[in-house]
Amino acid sequence: MLTIVLSVSSGLTTRTPAFRDRLPSFGINVTKSPFKDRLPSYGISRPRSGSAPPVPVNIRSMSASPPLTSASPPYNRLKATNVSKNTSKLPVITSAPSLWTFSTQTPSVPPPLCFSPRPSPSPLRCNVDSLLHLFGCWLFDAALIWRDSAGQSDITAMSETWVAGRAEACGTLCRIFTCKKTGEGIMPLYLSRFYMVLLKGLQISEMECPPVLASILLNSTCLFCCDLKGINLLLPVFISALENVLLDRELLRFKSFVCPVDLRRASILILLSLLPVPLQFGSVQTEVLTDGDIASDDVTPTSFLSLKPRLIGILIGALQTETDTYNTQLLLGAMLSFVQDLAMLEGAGQGHQDCDLSRDNRTSRNTGTTGSTRLTQGSNAAAVLWAQLVRLLTQRLTAHWRNDSAVCLSVLEVLEGLAKVEVRMEESEMRRAVSSVCTYIVFQCSRPPPSHSSELHSIIVAAFFCLNVWLTQHPTLLDHQECLLEVLEIVELGISGSKSRQEQEVRWKEKKELNPASLRVKEAAEMTLSCVMQVSGACPVVNGSLNEDALIGCSTSGDGLKKFRYFVVDGSMILAMLERGPGHEQEQHPSLTMIMRGPSGCHTWTLQLHLQPREGRSKKATTSDTCSGTAGMKSGIKHHVTAEKIDVSPVKADQSIPALHEIVTENMQHQLDRMRAALKKQQQMEARPLAHCRSVIMTSCRLPPPVTHFQTARLFLSHLGLLTPETVKDPGITGVPAQLVTLDSSLPGFSEDLRKLDQLPSKNCDSAFIFYMKAGQRTATEMLKNVESRCSVQSQFLDFLSSIGCTAKMGKRHMGGINTSSSEFHTVLGETGGSMFDGRGLCLMFTDALTEITFIVPSTLHTEWSEFSEEPQFNQHGHSEVNPDPASKPTSFKVEDIKSFSPASLLASSESNVLIVWVERFEDIENFPLSDLLSCLRSQTEPRTPTETSTNNNQLIFIHPLKTGLYRICFHGNATSKFGLIMPLVSGHVVSRRSLGFLVREMVINCCHRRRLESDSAPPPHIKRKHMISDIMLRYRSQLSEPAFYSSLFREVCPHDLQ
């Protein structure tokens, strides 16, 4: 038999005599407290039944923040004090300690507290109505104890001893209503009384008590995520409460009874659920109580959109006053989601002008909200807000947060997302953002050597990646000379460890010693340099690339390699050169076609040799035949006749030059005699034809035949300065090859290794799996069958699939973003619920300049996932393990079909997977069959060892649709992460349909990026390609001597004509 001790005042017990008399019939013993004249500080204890009881809210705690890996913010507990016990030996529930403890003597040192994560509600809990039928009268009476029977304020009840009971009752009611199940109905009577409790408890005035407000906020973190009917009526009063908490830096009114960090954290979680509401409902009118008094007739109709400036003011002000790392990360994620939602709303032509906000400005208690009003007025509010947030983030990144690695990494991720938001922004704001990231890199690289660690280098690598995102998303930044110079200096700093230009001193690069901060930092700087070259147009990325067979037109794989010359430059670039003779299309100019395979990808170029600059060329050469037929003909040019003799009187200067006979010596005289004899002999020989009457026939000059063999490869390498003895000769240093190395393409396995190199991506290729979980499902088989039919999934799920990527064939690279045509997507989808994108034939893919994400929707229809070959594996040093045996490779696809992923090996070969789960019922998250699901999918490939099927490193993004059209997010990440939260989605986040696809993609990108940062054995893609190029050079290096190498440049590769 369950015994519950209720410590209530006599006034409370007399109000429910009939219900108290009925409790023994339910098997519950009720014992009154011997203290009838006062409400004890312990307050009202709660029942501990099969349902999980509410956890006490936090009391004053130490300033240390809780572990960042907890799914929800942990809360503190105090030991129960002053518990009223019955004189009889009845069992007393003491595991539910009191929330609030007041004492006339304030202890000098706060009691020690232990942080514990908030427990999840029990799946066996009863309905909210059933619980309120039992305890609702007591809870509501205690929550409204400040009113007497006539409804007037009772000053006596406002004493300190009554505050604890009221705060406990308000917090308990909030916990009961937030434990509402999905689709569960609550009686309107209970909802109205509960809303009345919240309206009165969230007020701050001389007559009200801050503990009640704190208790409500601490227990209402997910109140707006439970689909409670009419909950948006409380939006203004909650916003006012958040202004009082988040915009107050000290929180002096709350420090005596609650931990400020926990109170601010709960307020931020509430803010996350309130931000999308004004944009979702727009100009929909609602009636709000301006003074919080239900008995008052002052009810003002207003629109939801009028609350947007106040929410923006809270968001910006809270970020400026927040000092806790975890809370700051929550605010950063909220910033990106709100800006993206506002930008997409305006981009769709649905932006609304803000209404008259004078009334809200008068009622606002914070002066910062008036600036937010001006900020969001107009149709370009998203751009103005974007500029203000970028300026705020970059300023605090370089000044306040630069020593907090977790916050810095989150700021960099948010800046990457802001760079992708499509708003009309000014060039100056973008340059300021790039300059701030560069300044941050300089600061981190200039730290003293003892401060350098793997964690610091990971932050620097993340900063370089953020810089790459900004450069690729906004290529016009490099058109400004100062911005380009600053970026190149940062690249130089990352590669060499120092800048050549430092204050007044300039150091030549030849005299610098390469001393980068670390190898990872050097590799990240090289990737940034590659992005600069691509963005600036020096080495642009084209839609795909051509291999040798495609250029030549050979139908047989490998035949095209015989007509190419292969060289390796600097050990990192393979040049395949095809020498073409002059033709009509080349206008009789030598041309050279090259395939350049480097760390940044594969590029195809065609070059032509011209003797004139591009501007001076004419369409047709008109001076080439000017000398034809004109040789030996006299032209009628009149020459000026000069006088044969001019009498000029000599001067002294003429005598300064001696006569010729005066300076001739004997030796010179002998030479002159010999010259006279030779001249005389020559005159006699020339006079012989005239003596025999022979005439000399003068023939005209003719053009020589055009040259058909130019050795264009030799000319190109010579122009680059690569044919000098220094570049060709082996330096004799172990591990350092010559600058120019010739490859022998006739060796077996050469074409196969080139094909493997082409298959290696030059960008980060990630993957994510999407599942649909219907209400009540608990097995993997049931979940995989959901996507087989359109009728088994919600229409919002199909809209979500169309927003995260575009349809692409599995195994081919794709240049695109997201689906722009809804009809085309649904045509491909057919009558399925997403099973078409299971990776066997089609998938959903998103691609930009730096990232390629493949989204796969597994199903039970197609189980032959192992049809595709796996990509080359890499050892712990990042070098490729090339298999020279071509017979072991599958031939199920053509050579030109470049494969990025193997659907089955994506899940089987990865120790950490990103899973996106659409859940119809939020309570089913606790029963998600992760282990069963991974085992079911991996069973289609080779057997895995038990250690490889661990579920600890998997990251799950749960999406739950709400009745309001918004979506509730729950994220289960890696519990061993050392950098805290991953942006931009966190547990408790509520987002709109417009921004859901964008935010999920950003979350997947950042999850995979974090995984690479924390792993030392995961080289970036351009380093994988660089290592494989080095392996190819060592394996297929030609053994020609220097004379043989030079002579080979003058010989043709193939005797047949290439035209």
PDB file of all heavy atoms in Angstrom, residues 667-687:
ATOM      1  N   ASN A 667     102.740  43.711 -88.240  1.00  0.00           N
ATOM      2  CA  ASN A 667     101.812  42.570 -88.164  1.00  0.00           C
ATOM      3  C   ASN A 667     100.511  42.895 -88.856  1.00  0.00           C
ATOM      4  O   ASN A 667      99.957  42.091 -89.621  1.00  0.00           O
ATOM      5  CB  ASN A 667     101.569  42.208 -86.698  1.00  0.00           C
ATOM      6  CG  ASN A 667     100.777  40.915 -86.565  1.00  0.00           C
ATOM      7  OD1 ASN A 667     100.710  40.130 -87.511  1.00  0.00           O
ATOM      8  ND2 ASN A 667     100.194  40.678 -85.393  1.00  0.00           N
ATOM      9  N   MET A 668     100.012  44.084 -88.650  1.00  0.00           N
ATOM     10  CA  MET A 668      98.771  44.481 -89.306  1.00  0.00           C
ATOM     11  C   MET A 668      98.971  44.631 -90.803  1.00  0.00           C
ATOM     12  O   MET A 668      98.078  44.324 -91.591  1.00  0.00           O
ATOM     13  CB  MET A 668      98.259  45.802 -88.711  1.00  0.00           C
ATOM     14  CG  MET A 668      97.838  45.692 -87.244  1.00  0.00           C
ATOM     15  SD  MET A 668      97.309  47.275 -86.571  1.00  0.00           S
ATOM     16  CE  MET A 668      95.945  47.634 -87.664  1.00  0.00           C
ATOM     17  N   GLN A 669     100.136  45.080 -91.208  1.00  0.00           N
ATOM     18  CA  GLN A 669     100.414  45.227 -92.632  1.00  0.00           C
ATOM     19  C   GLN A 669     100.408  43.879 -93.314  1.00  0.00           C
ATOM     20  O   GLN A 669      99.926  43.734 -94.449  1.00  0.00           O
ATOM     21  CB  GLN A 669     101.775  45.918 -92.832  1.00  0.00           C
ATOM     22  CG  GLN A 669     102.106  46.245 -94.265  1.00  0.00           C
ATOM     23  CD  GLN A 669     101.128  47.234 -94.897  1.00  0.00           C
ATOM     24  OE1 GLN A 669     100.671  48.153 -94.230  1.00  0.00           O
ATOM     25  NE2 GLN A 669     100.797  47.040 -96.170  1.00  0.00           N
ATOM     26  N   HIS A 670     100.931  42.852 -92.643  1.00  0.00           N
ATOM     27  CA  HIS A 670     100.933  41.506 -93.197  1.00  0.00           C
ATOM     28  C   HIS A 670      99.505  40.991 -93.373  1.00  0.00           C
ATOM     29  O   HIS A 670      99.174  40.368 -94.393  1.00  0.00           O
ATOM     30  CB  HIS A 670     101.739  40.584 -92.275  1.00  0.00           C
ATOM     31  CG  HIS A 670     101.800  39.169 -92.764  1.00  0.00           C
ATOM     32  ND1 HIS A 670     102.473  38.799 -93.915  1.00  0.00           N
ATOM     33  CD2 HIS A 670     101.255  38.019 -92.266  1.00  0.00           C
ATOM     34  CE1 HIS A 670     102.350  37.506 -94.107  1.00  0.00           C
ATOM     35  NE2 HIS A 670     101.608  37.001 -93.093  1.00  0.00           N
ATOM     36  N   GLN A 671      98.606  41.257 -92.417  1.00  0.00           N
ATOM     37  CA  GLN A 671      97.214  40.838 -92.524  1.00  0.00           C
ATOM     38  C   GLN A 671      96.503  41.582 -93.649  1.00  0.00           C
ATOM     39  O   GLN A 671      95.668  41.010 -94.352  1.00  0.00           O
ATOM     40  CB  GLN A 671      96.501  41.064 -91.188  1.00  0.00           C
ATOM     41  CG  GLN A 671      97.015  40.184 -90.059  1.00  0.00           C
ATOM     42  CD  GLN A 671      96.291  40.458 -88.754  1.00  0.00           C
ATOM     43  OE1 GLN A 671      95.396  41.307 -88.725  1.00  0.00           O
ATOM     44  NE2 GLN A 671      96.705  39.766 -87.678  1.00  0.00           N
ATOM     45  N   LEU A 672      96.818  42.848 -93.822  1.00  0.00           N
ATOM     46  CA  LEU A 672      96.204  43.611 -94.900  1.00  0.00           C
ATOM     47  C   LEU A 672      96.623  43.089 -96.265  1.00  0.00           C
ATOM     48  O   LEU A 672      95.811  43.036 -97.202  1.00  0.00           O
ATOM     49  CB  LEU A 672      96.575  45.091 -94.776  1.00  0.00           C
ATOM     50  CG  LEU A 672      95.922  45.832 -93.584  1.00  0.00           C
ATOM     51  CD1 LEU A 672      96.476  47.255 -93.492  1.00  0.00           C
ATOM     52  CD2 LEU A 672      94.412  45.862 -93.749  1.00  0.00           C
ATOM     53  N   ASP A 673      97.844  42.668 -96.392  1.00  0.00           N
ATOM     54  CA  ASP A 673      98.280  42.102 -97.667  1.00  0.00           C
ATOM     55  C   ASP A 673      97.542  40.812 -97.984  1.00  0.00           C
ATOM     56  O   ASP A 673      97.152  40.573 -99.145  1.00  0.00           O
ATOM     57  CB  ASP A 673      99.806  41.860 -97.630  1.00  0.00           C
ATOM     58  CG  ASP A 673     100.587  43.157 -97.509  1.00  0.00           C
ATOM     59  OD1 ASP A 673      99.990  44.224 -97.830  1.00  0.00           O
ATOM     60  OD2 ASP A 673     101.755  43.117 -97.063  1.00  0.00           O
ATOM     61  N   ARG A 674      97.346  39.994 -97.016  1.00  0.00           N
ATOM     62  CA  ARG A 674      96.615  38.745 -97.234  1.00  0.00           C
ATOM     63  C   ARG A 674      95.163  39.029 -97.597  1.00  0.00           C
ATOM     64  O   ARG A 674      94.565  38.355 -98.439  1.00  0.00           O
ATOM     65  CB  ARG A 674      96.663  37.876 -95.979  1.00  0.00           C
ATOM     66  CG  ARG A 674      98.067  37.370 -95.671  1.00  0.00           C
ATOM     67  CD  ARG A 674      98.076  36.506 -94.421  1.00  0.00           C
ATOM     68  NE  ARG A 674      97.158  35.368 -94.539  1.00  0.00           N
ATOM     69  CZ  ARG A 674      96.879  34.510 -93.576  1.00  0.00           C
ATOM     70  NH1 ARG A 674      97.459  34.674 -92.396  1.00  0.00           N
ATOM     71  NH2 ARG A 674      96.055  33.510 -93.799  1.00  0.00           N
ATOM     72  N   MET A 675      94.562  40.041 -97.008  1.00  0.00           N
ATOM     73  CA  MET A 675      93.184  40.385 -97.321  1.00  0.00           C
ATOM     74  C   MET A 675      93.073  40.920 -98.746  1.00  0.00           C
ATOM     75  O   MET A 675      92.105  40.605 -99.448  1.00  0.00           O
ATOM     76  CB  MET A 675      92.677  41.429 -96.316  1.00  0.00           C
ATOM     77  CG  MET A 675      91.239  41.873 -96.560  1.00  0.00           C
ATOM     78  SD  MET A 675      90.060  40.487 -96.441  1.00  0.00           S
ATOM     79  CE  MET A 675      90.192  40.144 -94.688  1.00  0.00           C
ATOM     80  N   ARG A 676      94.048  41.698 -99.182  1.00  0.00           N
ATOM     81  CA  ARG A 676      94.021  42.201-100.555  1.00  0.00           C
ATOM     82  C   ARG A 676      94.119  41.050-101.556  1.00  0.00           C
ATOM     83  O   ARG A 676      93.440  41.045-102.588  1.00  0.00           O
ATOM     84  CB  ARG A 676      95.154  43.185-100.782  1.00  0.00           C
ATOM     85  CG  ARG A 676      94.999  44.495-100.003  1.00  0.00           C
ATOM     86  CD  ARG A 676      96.043  45.503-100.490  1.00  0.00           C
ATOM     87  NE  ARG A 676      96.045  46.707 -99.661  1.00  0.00           N
ATOM     88  CZ  ARG A 676      96.892  46.930 -98.671  1.00  0.00           C
ATOM     89  NH1 ARG A 676      97.834  46.020 -98.401  1.00  0.00           N
ATOM     90  NH2 ARG A 676      96.812  48.042 -97.986  1.00  0.00           N
ATOM     91  N   ALA A 677      94.948  40.068-101.258  1.00  0.00           N
ATOM     92  CA  ALA A 677      95.095  38.927-102.164  1.00  0.00           C
ATOM     93  C   ALA A 677      93.799  38.121-102.237  1.00  0.00           C
ATOM     94  O   ALA A 677      93.377  37.688-103.324  1.00  0.00           O
ATOM     95  CB  ALA A 677      96.256  38.041-101.710  1.00  0.00           C
ATOM     96  N   ALA A 678      93.147  37.912-101.108  1.00  0.00           N
ATOM     97  CA  ALA A 678      91.895  37.166-101.104  1.00  0.00           C
ATOM     98  C   ALA A 678      90.815  37.932-101.839  1.00  0.00           C
ATOM     99  O   ALA A 678      89.987  37.339-102.558  1.00  0.00           O
ATOM    100  CB  ALA A 678      91.480  36.880 -99.666  1.00  0.00           C
ATOM    101  N   LEU A 679      90.815  39.224-101.715  1.00  0.00           N
ATOM    102  CA  LEU A 679      89.815  40.017-102.401  1.00  0.00           C
ATOM    103  C   LEU A 679      90.003  39.987-103.910  1.00  0.00           C
ATOM    104  O   LEU A 679      89.033  39.901-104.677  1.00  0.00           O
ATOM    105  CB  LEU A 679      89.874  41.462-101.881  1.00  0.00           C
ATOM    106  CG  LEU A 679      88.872  42.447-102.493  1.00  0.00           C
ATOM    107  CD1 LEU A 679      87.438  41.991-102.252  1.00  0.00           C
ATOM    108  CD2 LEU A 679      89.103  43.844-101.940  1.00  0.00           C
ATOM    109  N   LYS A 680      91.229  40.031-104.323  1.00  0.00           N
ATOM    110  CA  LYS A 680      91.519  39.985-105.745  1.00  0.00           C
ATOM    111  C   LYS A 680      91.118  38.641-106.338  1.00  0.00           C
ATOM    112  O   LYS A 680      90.562  38.557-107.445  1.00  0.00           O
ATOM    113  CB  LYS A 680      93.000  40.252-105.968  1.00  0.00           C
ATOM    114  CG  LYS A 680      93.397  40.318-107.433  1.00  0.00           C
ATOM    115  CD  LYS A 680      94.890  40.643-107.577  1.00  0.00           C
ATOM    116  CE  LYS A 680      95.304  40.717-109.031  1.00  0.00           C
ATOM    117  NZ  LYS A 680      96.758  41.036-109.190  1.00  0.00           N
ATOM    118  N   LYS A 681      91.375  37.581-105.613  1.00  0.00           N
ATOM    119  CA  LYS A 681      90.997  36.247-106.074  1.00  0.00           C
ATOM    120  C   LYS A 681      89.493  36.103-106.189  1.00  0.00           C
ATOM    121  O   LYS A 681      88.972  35.483-107.114  1.00  0.00           O
ATOM    122  CB  LYS A 681      91.574  35.195-105.121  1.00  0.00           C
ATOM    123  CG  LYS A 681      91.364  33.770-105.580  1.00  0.00           C
ATOM    124  CD  LYS A 681      92.046  32.802-104.610  1.00  0.00           C
ATOM    125  CE  LYS A 681      91.857  31.361-105.036  1.00  0.00           C
ATOM    126  NZ  LYS A 681      92.504  30.414-104.114  1.00  0.00           N
ATOM    127  N   GLN A 682      88.782  36.668-105.257  1.00  0.00           N
ATOM    128  CA  GLN A 682      87.329  36.582-105.285  1.00  0.00           C
ATOM    129  C   GLN A 682      86.755  37.360-106.451  1.00  0.00           C
ATOM    130  O   GLN A 682      85.789  36.918-107.091  1.00  0.00           O
ATOM    131  CB  GLN A 682      86.759  37.137-103.958  1.00  0.00           C
ATOM    132  CG  GLN A 682      85.245  37.075-103.857  1.00  0.00           C
ATOM    133  CD  GLN A 682      84.710  35.640-103.846  1.00  0.00           C
ATOM    134  OE1 GLN A 682      85.440  34.709-103.469  1.00  0.00           O
ATOM    135  NE2 GLN A 682      83.476  35.468-104.293  1.00  0.00           N
ATOM    136  N   GLN A 683      87.368  38.478-106.775  1.00  0.00           N
ATOM    137  CA  GLN A 683      86.900  39.245-107.919  1.00  0.00           C
ATOM    138  C   GLN A 683      87.097  38.490-109.228  1.00  0.00           C
ATOM    139  O   GLN A 683      86.257  38.551-110.130  1.00  0.00           O
ATOM    140  CB  GLN A 683      87.620  40.588-107.980  1.00  0.00           C
ATOM    141  CG  GLN A 683      87.242  41.518-106.824  1.00  0.00           C
ATOM    142  CD  GLN A 683      88.059  42.806-106.835  1.00  0.00           C
ATOM    143  OE1 GLN A 683      89.033  42.939-107.622  1.00  0.00           O
ATOM    144  NE2 GLN A 683      87.690  43.760-105.965  1.00  0.00           N
ATOM    145  N   GLN A 684      88.182  37.755-109.325  1.00  0.00           N
ATOM    146  CA  GLN A 684      88.420  36.972-110.535  1.00  0.00           C
ATOM    147  C   GLN A 684      87.387  35.850-110.672  1.00  0.00           C
ATOM    148  O   GLN A 684      86.917  35.555-111.778  1.00  0.00           O
ATOM    149  CB  GLN A 684      89.833  36.399-110.506  1.00  0.00           C
ATOM    150  CG  GLN A 684      90.926  37.453-110.585  1.00  0.00           C
ATOM    151  CD  GLN A 684      92.315  36.858-110.452  1.00  0.00           C
ATOM    152  OE1 GLN A 684      92.459  35.630-110.238  1.00  0.00           O
ATOM    153  NE2 GLN A 684      93.368  37.696-110.585  1.00  0.00           N
ATOM    154  N   MET A 685      87.014  35.207-109.592  1.00  0.00           N
ATOM    155  CA  MET A 685      86.041  34.126-109.657  1.00  0.00           C
ATOM    156  C   MET A 685      84.647  34.655-110.038  1.00  0.00           C
ATOM    157  O   MET A 685      83.920  34.007-110.789  1.00  0.00           O
ATOM    158  CB  MET A 685      85.963  33.408-108.306  1.00  0.00           C
ATOM    159  CG  MET A 685      87.241  32.667-107.932  1.00  0.00           C
ATOM    160  SD  MET A 685      87.144  31.909-106.301  1.00  0.00           S
ATOM    161  CE  MET A 685      85.768  30.825-106.535  1.00  0.00           C
ATOM    162  N   GLU A 686      84.318  35.818-109.592  1.00  0.00           N
ATOM    163  CA  GLU A 686      83.017  36.375-109.922  1.00  0.00           C
ATOM    164  C   GLU A 686      82.970  36.881-111.361  1.00  0.00           C
ATOM    165  O   GLU A 686      81.881  36.977-111.943  1.00  0.00           O
ATOM    166  CB  GLU A 686      82.688  37.513-108.956  1.00  0.00           C
ATOM    167  CG  GLU A 686      82.466  37.054-107.522  1.00  0.00           C
ATOM    168  CD  GLU A 686      82.179  38.227-106.605  1.00  0.00           C
ATOM    169  OE1 GLU A 686      82.248  39.382-107.079  1.00  0.00           O
ATOM    170  OE2 GLU A 686      81.889  37.994-105.406  1.00  0.00           O
ATOM    171  N   ALA A 687      84.134  37.166-111.895  1.00  0.00           N
ATOM    172  CA  ALA A 687      84.152  37.670-113.285  1.00  0.00           C
ATOM    173  C   ALA A 687      84.103  36.556-114.317  1.00  0.00           C
ATOM    174  O   ALA A 687      83.926  36.829-115.514  1.00  0.00           O
ATOM    175  CB  ALA A 687      85.388  38.528-113.507  1.00  0.00           C
TER     176      ALA A 687
END
